[in-house]
């Protein structure tokens, strides 16, 4: 009798471990390679829409837009920890601010933030400051952009082709 109980408990433990492993591998987010496909599917974004995408260590930010740039959708995915290779959708949709300016998306539990814009201000350069360090990122003034930045970036200034400041950005938090 004691042997049967031990055997039954062993089988139950193995079955629960198998179920937990299968659930963990299939239910907790998507891989980095599947993010764009997941965003298009989840928001019903047409395959003929272009995408401006940037990736960091923890975040992937995308802005999808049609050929005329009259419509767009934003998708931001983040992974919860360094140990995980799965990403979760943190924001989907669009805001009027993204259409006319530069919007920063930040989450309390993520070490990175994203700056997205339809680039109506025609920014061609983003100057990132990290304390004393300065990094320049070139942008296409005729296309929307997505930038994922580390938390150590202290200032971002955008410039147009004439060297003028090309607008500031608003903060969106969740």
């Amino acid at each position: 009798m004691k042997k049967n109980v031990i055997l039954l408990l062993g089988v139950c433990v193995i079955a629960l471990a198998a179920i937990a492993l299968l659930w963990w591998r299939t239910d907790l987010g998507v891989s980095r390679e599947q993010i764009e496909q997941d965003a298009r599917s989840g928001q019903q974004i047409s395959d003929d829409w272009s995408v401006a995408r940037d990736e960091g260590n923890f975040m992937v930010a995308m802005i999808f837009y049609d050929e005329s740039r009259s419509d767009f959708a934003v998708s931001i995915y983040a992974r919860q920890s360094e140990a995980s290779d799965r990403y979760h959708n943190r924001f989907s949709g669009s805001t009027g601010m993204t259409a006319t300016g530069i919007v920063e998306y930040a989450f309390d539990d993520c070490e990175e933030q994203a700056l997205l814009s339809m680039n109506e201000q025609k920014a061609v350069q983003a100057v990132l400051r990290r304390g004393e360090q300065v990094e320049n990122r070139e942008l296409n003034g005729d296309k929307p952009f997505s930038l994922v930045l580390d938390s150590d970036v202290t200032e971002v200034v955008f410039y147009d082709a004439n060297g003028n400041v090309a607008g500031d950005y608003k903060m969106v938090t969740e």
Side-chain angles (χ1 to χ4, degrees):
M1 179 71 169
K2 186 176 180 183
K3 221 180 214 185
N4 289 341
V5 170
I6 292 173
L7 182 63
L8 182 61
L9 284 174
V11 168
C12 288
V13 167
I14 291 171
L16 286 173
I19 290 169
L21 180 64
L22 287 172
W23 178 78
W24 179 76
R25 295 300 289 164
T26 59
D27 194 44
L28 292 178
V30 297
S31 69
R32 186 180 283 246
E33 295 78 25
Q34 297 171 323
I35 289 174
E36 185 175 331
Q37 177 185 356
D38 187 70
R40 285 183 186 274
S41 172
Q43 293 185 73
Q44 300 175 349
I45 298 170
S46 175
D47 287 337
D48 65 348
W49 278 26
S50 298
V51 62
R53 174 180 172 147
D54 196 29
E55 301 179 8
N57 292 323
F58 293 95
M59 183 182 283
V60 175
M62 299 166 289
I63 185 167
F64 298 90
Y65 54 97
D66 64 2
E67 185 177 326
S68 68
R69 293 179 46 190
S70 62
D71 199 8
F72 69 95
V74 170
S75 284
I76 299 174
Y77 284 71
R79 60 186 181 132
Q80 291 180 325
S81 69
E82 288 184 44
S84 174
D85 65 344
R86 310 299 276 182
Y87 287 77
H88 302 271
N89 183 283
R90 298 298 300 271
F91 180 85
S92 292
S94 60
T95 66
M97 294 182 295
T98 307
T100 58
I102 302 164
V103 179
E104 179 178 5
Y105 294 84
F107 307 97
D108 290 338
D109 60 345
C110 188
E111 296 178 18
E112 296 170 330
Q113 65 263 7
L115 299 176
L116 293 108
S117 176
M118 286 298 288
N119 206 5
E120 291 300 314
Q121 62 279 1
K122 306 284 188 200
V124 297
Q125 182 181 36
V127 177
L128 315 177
R129 288 189 170 67
R130 291 178 174 88
E132 297 294 317
Q133 294 180 322
V134 176
E135 176 187 346
N136 293 314
R137 293 229 192 141
E138 299 301 316
L139 305 171
N140 184 332
D142 295 322
K143 294 189 176 185
F145 65 82
S146 172
L147 296 174
V148 174
L149 308 174
D150 294 327
S151 60
D152 64 346
V153 173
T154 56
E155 183 182 19
V156 182
V157 180
F158 294 91
Y159 295 96
D160 65 17
N162 296 322
N164 299 316
V165 174
D168 56 3
Y169 55 89
K170 307 251 185 245
M171 181 77 170
V172 173
T173 59
E174 187 172 292

Short mmCIF file of all heavy atoms in Angstrom, two decimals, residues 101-148:
data_model
loop_
_atom_site.label_atom_id
_atom_site.label_comp_id
_atom_site.label_asym_id
_atom_site.label_seq_id
_atom_site.Cartn_x
_atom_site.Cartn_y
_atom_site.Cartn_z
N GLY A 101 3.84 64.86 -32.68
CA GLY A 101 5.05 65.16 -31.93
C GLY A 101 5.84 63.90 -31.64
O GLY A 101 5.74 62.90 -32.34
N ILE A 102 6.63 63.96 -30.60
CA ILE A 102 7.46 62.84 -30.16
C ILE A 102 6.94 62.42 -28.79
O ILE A 102 6.81 63.25 -27.90
CB ILE A 102 8.94 63.24 -30.07
CG1 ILE A 102 9.43 63.75 -31.43
CG2 ILE A 102 9.78 62.07 -29.59
CD1 ILE A 102 10.73 64.51 -31.38
N VAL A 103 6.65 61.14 -28.65
CA VAL A 103 6.06 60.66 -27.39
C VAL A 103 7.02 59.65 -26.75
O VAL A 103 7.53 58.76 -27.40
CB VAL A 103 4.68 60.00 -27.63
CG1 VAL A 103 4.11 59.48 -26.33
CG2 VAL A 103 3.73 60.99 -28.26
N GLU A 104 7.23 59.82 -25.45
CA GLU A 104 8.05 58.89 -24.68
C GLU A 104 7.12 57.92 -23.96
O GLU A 104 6.19 58.34 -23.27
CB GLU A 104 8.91 59.63 -23.67
CG GLU A 104 9.75 58.69 -22.83
CD GLU A 104 10.65 59.42 -21.84
OE1 GLU A 104 10.55 60.65 -21.73
OE2 GLU A 104 11.44 58.74 -21.18
N TYR A 105 7.39 56.64 -24.13
CA TYR A 105 6.66 55.58 -23.43
C TYR A 105 7.61 54.96 -22.42
O TYR A 105 8.68 54.48 -22.80
CB TYR A 105 6.17 54.52 -24.41
CG TYR A 105 5.13 55.02 -25.38
CD1 TYR A 105 5.50 55.67 -26.56
CD2 TYR A 105 3.77 54.86 -25.12
CE1 TYR A 105 4.54 56.13 -27.45
CE2 TYR A 105 2.81 55.33 -26.01
CZ TYR A 105 3.21 55.96 -27.17
OH TYR A 105 2.26 56.42 -28.05
N ALA A 106 7.25 55.00 -21.15
CA ALA A 106 8.08 54.44 -20.09
C ALA A 106 7.21 53.62 -19.15
O ALA A 106 6.03 53.93 -18.96
CB ALA A 106 8.78 55.56 -19.33
N PHE A 107 7.79 52.58 -18.59
CA PHE A 107 7.08 51.70 -17.66
C PHE A 107 7.93 51.57 -16.40
O PHE A 107 9.15 51.42 -16.49
CB PHE A 107 6.85 50.33 -18.29
CG PHE A 107 6.16 50.42 -19.63
CD1 PHE A 107 6.89 50.38 -20.81
CD2 PHE A 107 4.79 50.56 -19.72
CE1 PHE A 107 6.27 50.49 -22.04
CE2 PHE A 107 4.15 50.67 -20.94
CZ PHE A 107 4.89 50.63 -22.12
N ASP A 108 7.28 51.63 -15.25
CA ASP A 108 8.00 51.62 -13.97
C ASP A 108 8.92 50.42 -13.81
O ASP A 108 9.98 50.52 -13.22
CB ASP A 108 7.01 51.66 -12.80
CG ASP A 108 6.33 53.01 -12.67
OD1 ASP A 108 6.88 54.01 -13.18
OD2 ASP A 108 5.24 53.07 -12.08
N ASP A 109 8.51 49.28 -14.35
CA ASP A 109 9.28 48.06 -14.14
C ASP A 109 10.20 47.71 -15.30
O ASP A 109 10.70 46.60 -15.40
CB ASP A 109 8.34 46.89 -13.86
CG ASP A 109 7.37 46.62 -15.00
OD1 ASP A 109 7.24 47.49 -15.89
OD2 ASP A 109 6.74 45.55 -15.00
N CYS A 110 10.49 48.67 -16.18
CA CYS A 110 11.36 48.42 -17.33
C CYS A 110 12.51 49.42 -17.31
O CYS A 110 12.31 50.61 -17.06
CB CYS A 110 10.59 48.53 -18.64
SG CYS A 110 11.55 48.00 -20.07
N GLU A 111 13.71 48.93 -17.59
CA GLU A 111 14.91 49.76 -17.54
C GLU A 111 15.08 50.66 -18.77
O GLU A 111 16.00 51.45 -18.81
CB GLU A 111 16.14 48.88 -17.40
CG GLU A 111 16.19 48.09 -16.12
CD GLU A 111 17.40 47.19 -16.04
OE1 GLU A 111 18.37 47.40 -16.78
OE2 GLU A 111 17.36 46.26 -15.22
N GLU A 112 14.23 50.52 -19.74
CA GLU A 112 14.36 51.31 -20.96
C GLU A 112 13.07 52.06 -21.22
O GLU A 112 12.03 51.76 -20.65
CB GLU A 112 14.67 50.37 -22.14
CG GLU A 112 16.01 49.67 -21.99
CD GLU A 112 16.24 48.58 -23.01
OE1 GLU A 112 15.27 47.94 -23.46
OE2 GLU A 112 17.42 48.34 -23.34
N GLN A 113 13.16 53.05 -22.10
CA GLN A 113 11.98 53.78 -22.54
C GLN A 113 12.05 53.90 -24.06
O GLN A 113 13.10 53.74 -24.65
CB GLN A 113 11.87 55.15 -21.88
CG GLN A 113 12.97 56.11 -22.25
CD GLN A 113 14.08 56.18 -21.23
OE1 GLN A 113 14.10 55.41 -20.28
NE2 GLN A 113 15.01 57.08 -21.42
N ALA A 114 10.90 54.19 -24.66
CA ALA A 114 10.83 54.31 -26.12
C ALA A 114 10.34 55.70 -26.49
O ALA A 114 9.47 56.26 -25.83
CB ALA A 114 9.88 53.26 -26.68
N LEU A 115 10.92 56.24 -27.55
CA LEU A 115 10.47 57.49 -28.14
C LEU A 115 9.96 57.16 -29.53
O LEU A 115 10.69 56.59 -30.35
CB LEU A 115 11.61 58.50 -28.23
CG LEU A 115 12.25 58.93 -26.92
CD1 LEU A 115 13.42 59.86 -27.18
CD2 LEU A 115 11.24 59.60 -26.02
N LEU A 116 8.71 57.51 -29.81
CA LEU A 116 8.11 57.22 -31.12
C LEU A 116 7.48 58.47 -31.70
O LEU A 116 6.95 59.30 -30.95
CB LEU A 116 7.04 56.13 -30.98
CG LEU A 116 7.60 54.77 -30.60
CD1 LEU A 116 7.27 54.44 -29.18
CD2 LEU A 116 7.08 53.72 -31.52
N SER A 117 7.50 58.56 -33.02
CA SER A 117 6.93 59.71 -33.68
C SER A 117 6.64 59.41 -35.14
O SER A 117 7.39 58.66 -35.79
CB SER A 117 7.90 60.90 -33.60
OG SER A 117 7.39 62.00 -34.31
N MET A 118 5.60 60.02 -35.67
CA MET A 118 5.34 59.98 -37.10
C MET A 118 6.26 60.96 -37.82
O MET A 118 6.29 61.03 -39.02
CB MET A 118 3.87 60.30 -37.40
CG MET A 118 2.92 59.16 -37.05
SD MET A 118 3.25 57.66 -37.99
CE MET A 118 2.66 58.14 -39.61
N ASN A 119 7.03 61.70 -37.08
CA ASN A 119 8.08 62.60 -37.55
C ASN A 119 7.55 63.73 -38.43
O ASN A 119 8.16 64.10 -39.43
CB ASN A 119 9.18 61.83 -38.27
CG ASN A 119 10.53 62.55 -38.23
OD1 ASN A 119 10.66 63.58 -37.58
ND2 ASN A 119 11.49 62.01 -38.93
N GLU A 120 6.45 64.33 -38.02
CA GLU A 120 5.93 65.50 -38.71
C GLU A 120 6.89 66.68 -38.59
O GLU A 120 6.87 67.58 -39.42
CB GLU A 120 4.55 65.88 -38.17
CG GLU A 120 3.47 64.88 -38.52
CD GLU A 120 3.27 64.71 -40.02
OE1 GLU A 120 3.20 65.73 -40.73
OE2 GLU A 120 3.19 63.56 -40.47
N GLN A 121 7.72 66.68 -37.58
CA GLN A 121 8.68 67.75 -37.37
C GLN A 121 9.95 67.57 -38.21
O GLN A 121 10.83 68.41 -38.17
CB GLN A 121 9.03 67.89 -35.88
CG GLN A 121 9.68 66.67 -35.28
CD GLN A 121 8.72 65.56 -34.89
OE1 GLN A 121 7.51 65.66 -35.08
NE2 GLN A 121 9.24 64.49 -34.37
N LYS A 122 10.02 66.47 -38.98
CA LYS A 122 11.13 66.22 -39.92
C LYS A 122 12.49 66.13 -39.23
O LYS A 122 13.50 66.63 -39.73
CB LYS A 122 11.19 67.28 -41.02
CG LYS A 122 9.90 67.46 -41.78
CD LYS A 122 9.70 66.36 -42.75
CE LYS A 122 8.50 66.66 -43.64
NZ LYS A 122 7.98 65.49 -44.26
N ALA A 123 12.54 65.49 -38.07
CA ALA A 123 13.80 65.31 -37.35
C ALA A 123 14.74 64.41 -38.16
O ALA A 123 14.32 63.38 -38.68
CB ALA A 123 13.55 64.71 -35.98
N VAL A 124 15.99 64.82 -38.26
CA VAL A 124 17.00 64.03 -38.98
C VAL A 124 18.10 63.53 -38.05
O VAL A 124 18.94 62.73 -38.45
CB VAL A 124 17.63 64.81 -40.16
CG1 VAL A 124 16.57 65.15 -41.19
CG2 VAL A 124 18.37 66.04 -39.68
N GLN A 125 18.08 64.03 -36.81
CA GLN A 125 19.11 63.63 -35.87
C GLN A 125 18.56 63.67 -34.45
O GLN A 125 17.82 64.59 -34.08
CB GLN A 125 20.31 64.57 -35.98
CG GLN A 125 21.46 64.21 -35.07
CD GLN A 125 22.61 65.19 -35.19
OE1 GLN A 125 22.40 66.39 -35.39
NE2 GLN A 125 23.82 64.70 -35.10
N ALA A 126 18.94 62.66 -33.66
CA ALA A 126 18.65 62.65 -32.23
C ALA A 126 19.98 62.67 -31.50
O ALA A 126 20.85 61.84 -31.77
CB ALA A 126 17.86 61.40 -31.85
N VAL A 127 20.16 63.63 -30.62
CA VAL A 127 21.38 63.73 -29.83
C VAL A 127 21.04 63.24 -28.43
O VAL A 127 20.20 63.83 -27.74
CB VAL A 127 21.93 65.18 -29.80
CG1 VAL A 127 23.15 65.26 -28.91
CG2 VAL A 127 22.24 65.64 -31.21
N LEU A 128 21.68 62.14 -28.03
CA LEU A 128 21.42 61.52 -26.72
C LEU A 128 22.57 61.85 -25.78
O LEU A 128 23.74 61.71 -26.14
CB LEU A 128 21.33 60.00 -26.87
CG LEU A 128 20.49 59.45 -28.02
CD1 LEU A 128 20.58 57.94 -28.06
CD2 LEU A 128 19.06 59.90 -27.90
N ARG A 129 22.22 62.28 -24.58
CA ARG A 129 23.25 62.58 -23.58
C ARG A 129 23.14 61.59 -22.43
O ARG A 129 22.07 61.38 -21.88
CB ARG A 129 23.09 64.00 -23.09
CG ARG A 129 23.51 65.02 -24.13
CD ARG A 129 23.56 66.43 -23.54
NE ARG A 129 24.17 67.39 -24.43
CZ ARG A 129 23.68 67.80 -25.60
NH1 ARG A 129 22.55 67.30 -26.03
NH2 ARG A 129 24.30 68.70 -26.34
N ARG A 130 24.31 61.07 -22.07
CA ARG A 130 24.47 60.20 -20.91
C ARG A 130 25.55 60.83 -20.04
O ARG A 130 26.72 60.52 -20.23
CB ARG A 130 24.92 58.80 -21.33
CG ARG A 130 23.91 57.99 -22.07
CD ARG A 130 24.52 56.64 -22.46
NE ARG A 130 23.55 55.77 -23.04
CZ ARG A 130 23.27 55.74 -24.35
NH1 ARG A 130 23.91 56.52 -25.18
NH2 ARG A 130 22.35 54.92 -24.81
N GLY A 131 25.16 61.72 -19.18
CA GLY A 131 26.16 62.45 -18.40
C GLY A 131 27.03 63.26 -19.35
O GLY A 131 26.55 64.11 -20.09
N GLU A 132 28.32 62.96 -19.39
CA GLU A 132 29.26 63.68 -20.25
C GLU A 132 29.30 63.11 -21.67
O GLU A 132 29.79 63.77 -22.58
CB GLU A 132 30.68 63.61 -19.65
CG GLU A 132 30.80 64.29 -18.29
CD GLU A 132 30.59 65.79 -18.38
OE1 GLU A 132 31.12 66.43 -19.31
OE2 GLU A 132 29.88 66.34 -17.50
N GLN A 133 28.80 61.90 -21.86
CA GLN A 133 28.84 61.26 -23.17
C GLN A 133 27.70 61.74 -24.05
O GLN A 133 26.59 61.95 -23.59
CB GLN A 133 28.75 59.74 -23.05
CG GLN A 133 29.95 59.11 -22.36
CD GLN A 133 29.78 57.61 -22.27
OE1 GLN A 133 28.68 57.11 -22.04
NE2 GLN A 133 30.88 56.89 -22.45
N VAL A 134 28.01 61.89 -25.34
CA VAL A 134 27.01 62.31 -26.32
C VAL A 134 27.00 61.29 -27.45
O VAL A 134 28.06 60.89 -27.94
CB VAL A 134 27.32 63.72 -26.88
CG1 VAL A 134 26.32 64.10 -27.96
CG2 VAL A 134 27.31 64.74 -25.76
N GLU A 135 25.81 60.86 -27.83
CA GLU A 135 25.65 59.93 -28.96
C GLU A 135 24.70 60.55 -29.96
O GLU A 135 23.66 61.10 -29.59
CB GLU A 135 25.07 58.60 -28.45
CG GLU A 135 24.79 57.61 -29.55
CD GLU A 135 24.06 56.36 -29.06
OE1 GLU A 135 23.99 56.14 -27.84
OE2 GLU A 135 23.53 55.63 -29.91
N ASN A 136 25.05 60.48 -31.23
CA ASN A 136 24.19 60.99 -32.29
C ASN A 136 23.54 59.81 -33.01
O ASN A 136 24.22 58.85 -33.36
CB ASN A 136 24.99 61.80 -33.31
CG ASN A 136 25.51 63.08 -32.71
OD1 ASN A 136 24.78 63.79 -32.04
ND2 ASN A 136 26.78 63.37 -32.93
N ARG A 137 22.24 59.91 -33.21
CA ARG A 137 21.53 58.91 -34.00
C ARG A 137 20.90 59.60 -35.19
O ARG A 137 20.15 60.56 -35.03
CB ARG A 137 20.43 58.22 -33.18
CG ARG A 137 20.96 57.37 -32.07
CD ARG A 137 20.30 56.01 -32.10
NE ARG A 137 20.57 55.29 -30.89
CZ ARG A 137 19.70 54.54 -30.26
NH1 ARG A 137 18.47 54.40 -30.73
NH2 ARG A 137 20.02 53.90 -29.16
N GLU A 138 21.24 59.11 -36.37
CA GLU A 138 20.68 59.67 -37.59
C GLU A 138 19.26 59.13 -37.80
O GLU A 138 18.99 57.96 -37.54
CB GLU A 138 21.55 59.29 -38.79
CG GLU A 138 22.98 59.82 -38.68
CD GLU A 138 23.06 61.33 -38.55
OE1 GLU A 138 22.34 62.03 -39.29
OE2 GLU A 138 23.85 61.80 -37.71
N LEU A 139 18.37 60.00 -38.26
CA LEU A 139 16.98 59.64 -38.55
C LEU A 139 16.67 60.06 -39.98
O LEU A 139 17.30 60.96 -40.52
CB LEU A 139 16.03 60.38 -37.59
CG LEU A 139 16.28 60.21 -36.10
CD1 LEU A 139 15.41 61.18 -35.31
CD2 LEU A 139 16.01 58.78 -35.67
N ASN A 140 15.70 59.41 -40.57
CA ASN A 140 15.22 59.82 -41.89
C ASN A 140 14.10 60.84 -41.68
O ASN A 140 13.06 60.51 -41.12
CB ASN A 140 14.71 58.60 -42.67
CG ASN A 140 14.28 58.94 -44.08
OD1 ASN A 140 13.86 60.06 -44.37
ND2 ASN A 140 14.37 57.97 -44.96
N GLY A 141 14.33 62.07 -42.11
CA GLY A 141 13.37 63.14 -41.89
C GLY A 141 12.03 62.93 -42.58
O GLY A 141 11.05 63.60 -42.26
N ASP A 142 11.98 62.00 -43.52
CA ASP A 142 10.74 61.74 -44.26
C ASP A 142 9.97 60.53 -43.75
O ASP A 142 8.96 60.16 -44.34
CB ASP A 142 11.06 61.55 -45.75
CG ASP A 142 11.61 62.81 -46.37
OD1 ASP A 142 11.14 63.90 -46.02
OD2 ASP A 142 12.54 62.70 -47.20
N LYS A 143 10.46 59.89 -42.69
CA LYS A 143 9.81 58.68 -42.19
C LYS A 143 9.63 58.72 -40.68
O LYS A 143 10.41 59.36 -39.97
CB LYS A 143 10.64 57.45 -42.56
CG LYS A 143 10.71 57.20 -44.04
CD LYS A 143 11.34 55.88 -44.34
CE LYS A 143 11.28 55.66 -45.85
NZ LYS A 143 11.77 54.36 -46.22
N PRO A 144 8.61 58.02 -40.19
CA PRO A 144 8.44 57.89 -38.74
C PRO A 144 9.65 57.20 -38.12
O PRO A 144 10.42 56.52 -38.80
CB PRO A 144 7.19 57.00 -38.63
CG PRO A 144 6.46 57.22 -39.90
CD PRO A 144 7.53 57.38 -40.95
N PHE A 145 9.81 57.38 -36.81
CA PHE A 145 10.93 56.72 -36.13
C PHE A 145 10.52 56.15 -34.79
O PHE A 145 9.53 56.56 -34.19
CB PHE A 145 12.13 57.66 -35.97
CG PHE A 145 11.89 58.84 -35.07
CD1 PHE A 145 11.99 58.72 -33.68
CD2 PHE A 145 11.59 60.08 -35.60
CE1 PHE A 145 11.79 59.81 -32.86
CE2 PHE A 145 11.38 61.18 -34.79
CZ PHE A 145 11.48 61.04 -33.41
N SER A 146 11.33 55.21 -34.36
CA SER A 146 11.20 54.57 -33.06
C SER A 146 12.60 54.47 -32.48
O SER A 146 13.53 54.02 -33.15
CB SER A 146 10.60 53.17 -33.24
OG SER A 146 10.64 52.47 -32.03
N LEU A 147 12.76 54.92 -31.24
CA LEU A 147 14.04 54.82 -30.55
C LEU A 147 13.82 54.18 -29.19
O LEU A 147 12.93 54.60 -28.45
CB LEU A 147 14.67 56.20 -30.33
CG LEU A 147 15.06 57.00 -31.55
CD1 LEU A 147 15.51 58.40 -31.13
CD2 LEU A 147 16.18 56.30 -32.31
N VAL A 148 14.62 53.18 -28.85
CA VAL A 148 14.60 52.59 -27.52
C VAL A 148 15.87 53.05 -26.82
O VAL A 148 16.98 52.89 -27.36
CB VAL A 148 14.53 51.05 -27.57
CG1 VAL A 148 14.66 50.46 -26.18
CG2 VAL A 148 13.22 50.60 -28.21
#
